[in-house]
Amino acid sequence: MKHIVSHKNPDTDTIVAAITYAKLLNKQGIEAKPVRIGVLNKETEFLLNKFNVESPELVETLPEGTEIVLVDHNEKSQSIDNIDELNLTGIIDHHKFNIQTSGPLNIRAEIIGSTASIVTKLYNEAGIEIPKVDAQLLISAILSDTLYYRSPTTTEQDRQIVQDLNKIAEFEDLEQHSLDLFAAKSNLGDIEVEKMIKLDYKIFNFGGDDYAIGVMETTNAQYGINRKEEILDKLKEIKKNDNLKGVFYSIVDILNEENTTMTSGAEELELLKTIFGAQIKDDMAYLGNVLSRKKQLVPKFEAHFN
Ligand SMILES: [Mn+2]
């Protein structure tokens, strides 16, 4: 049984890719099931409830030798804890690659806005009809990962795939659906601050040191900014406890396309000024129209440190 593994701090794209890719394999007569290694975010929870889809099973580790395929990630630090004991046979992803494997594997990687777009192409290449609910999920993941085409990671293919999928999914108003998803994601209630920071959070090695970058994509940036004091305290604490060189937390205002970033200290703030020409005010860095960690934040950090 192949286990389709979504990434840590899962987002809608990785969960939808795991569910729909496992189903595609099932339709091809291959035993497969999706798994997740973290709590669903509010957006994904809303989506699965709306279309009455079961959440992938939550696991911490898998039995030694289990065959796995990674979706929407390829770095071990973002994957299941005992990955080195498992039989990794495939990766479907749209991120930069940073993995060393002990055996050969099937890799499908593209420069495209979402892993869900790639899974749609795999369905089409296999000549297998996409069930309506899967078309609904795939569209949702593409709209989510591209921030309704606002992210610079968006490609013409993503738009075309959504148009084609919508012949099956039949959303009357795609933009309204994206707003519903973003509203669900933005509704954080009184979530504990560390959980909030780590909802969408990745560790990167820049120039030999580990840095963490958390992102809050939201239609209600004020919610995050109002919690500034506790966020700043927590970022310092995480830096110390998790042995990081720096922690960044970007509040991405999806509708106004603005990035406000908080950091674990003054040095990190200074770094943002150097790398991004950020304006610093009230202990926060204003980065302007920087919406994508993958395409805008990480490459600039790497260029700076290398
Ligand atoms: Mn993705």
Side-chain angles (χ1 to χ4, degrees):
M1 165 84 83
K2 282 192 200 214
H3 285 62
I4 315 304
V5 178
S6 48
H7 61 71
K8 276 192 178 141
N9 313 316
D11 62 1
T12 296
D13 191 32
T14 196
I15 294 291
V16 165
I19 293 172
T20 54
Y21 182 59
K23 201 151 153 194
L24 169 60
L25 292 175
N26 294 157
K27 285 179 175 290
Q28 294 172 305
I30 300 164
E31 282 200 317
K33 68 178 273 194
V35 295
R36 65 184 164 98
I37 49 180
V39 232
L40 296 180
N41 73 29
K42 293 276 188 184
E43 179 190 79
T44 315
E45 203 176 86
F46 163 81
L47 177 67
L48 297 187
N49 279 337
K50 177 164 175 158
F51 294 111
N52 211 356
V53 174
E54 208 182 312
S55 164
E57 186 190 334
L58 176 67
V59 298
E60 271 180 31
T61 56
L62 287 167
E64 208 182 315
T66 303
E67 182 176 356
I68 58 164
V69 174
L70 309 183
V71 288
D72 199 39
H73 69 297
N74 65 76
E75 305 199 32
K76 288 183 180 176
S77 64
Q78 296 166 11
S79 200
I80 188 159
D81 283 339
N82 68 332
I83 185 165
D84 285 328
E85 298 168 11
L86 307 177
N87 177 22
L88 175 63
T89 61
I91 299 175
I92 304 172
D93 195 14
H94 66 140
H95 292 86
K96 75 183 175 82
F97 265 69
N98 182 22
I99 190 164
Q100 183 123 36
T101 62
S102 48
L105 70 163
N106 296 313
I107 293 180
R108 177 70 176 252
E110 293 191 31
I111 304 169
I112 201 162
S114 74
T115 301
S117 298
I118 307 176
V119 174
T120 306
K121 291 170 86 169
L122 293 173
Y123 258 100
N124 294 336
E125 289 162 17
I128 290 174
E129 211 175 304
I130 302 177
K132 181 166 185 172
V133 67
D134 295 77
Q136 289 165 326
L137 293 179
L138 289 163
I139 285 180
S140 304
I142 298 168
L143 298 181
S144 165
D145 240 38
T146 64
L147 303 175
Y148 192 70
Y149 314 132
R150 290 179 183 89
S151 170
T153 55
T154 310
T155 68
E156 205 38 58
Q157 289 191 72
D158 297 298
R159 295 172 187 268
Q160 189 59 51
I161 287 168
V162 169
Q163 296 316 318
D164 293 344
L165 280 171
N166 207 29
K167 290 176 192 139
I168 305 167
E170 297 180 304
F171 284 106
E172 272 175 29
D173 186 340
L174 288 168
E175 183 168 19
Q176 185 54 51
H177 180 56
S178 79
L179 291 171
D180 293 346
L181 292 171
F182 301 147
K185 189 187 308 199
S186 306
N187 178 18
L188 294 173
D190 57 359
I191 185 172
E192 196 266 313
V193 65
E194 183 160 356
K195 276 201 186 127
M196 178 175 85
I197 293 166
K198 292 189 171 174
L199 268 177
D200 180 359
Y201 180 87
K202 291 179 179 171
I203 313 263
F204 299 93
N205 191 284
F206 299 135
D209 290 310
D210 285 336
Y211 289 85
I213 307 176
V215 175
M216 175 203 285
E217 292 170 343
T218 181
T219 53
N220 180 12
Q222 202 53 47
Y223 172 88
I225 290 164
N226 288 342
R227 297 185 68 172
K228 180 176 85 178
E229 295 309 326
E230 51 171 334
I231 293 171
L232 292 178
D233 287 346
K234 188 55 77 175
L235 294 177
K236 288 191 183 79
E237 194 183 310
I238 293 171
K239 174 182 174 179
K240 198 164 156 247
N241 291 345
D242 296 355
N243 270 316
L244 299 164
K245 180 84 175 173
V247 187
F248 299 93
Y249 188 53
S250 285
I251 296 171
V252 171
D253 183 328
I254 302 170
L255 302 181
N256 295 309
E257 304 190 21
E258 278 169 1
N259 178 321
T260 306
T261 297
M262 302 186 195
T263 71
S264 50
E267 234 173 87
E268 291 88 314
L269 215 46
E270 208 48 46
L271 205 51
L272 295 178
K273 211 166 142 183
T274 310
I275 299 179
F276 296 91
Q279 312 248 29
I280 311 295
K281 208 183 140 206
D282 302 327
D283 297 322
M284 295 185 290
Y286 294 86
L287 273 60
N289 181 19
V290 171
L291 306 185
S292 168
R293 173 172 48 204
K294 171 176 31 202
K295 193 159 182 179
Q296 294 171 302
L297 288 171
V298 171
K300 282 208 168 188
F301 274 108
E302 287 190 324
H304 174 79
F305 286 104
N306 290 335

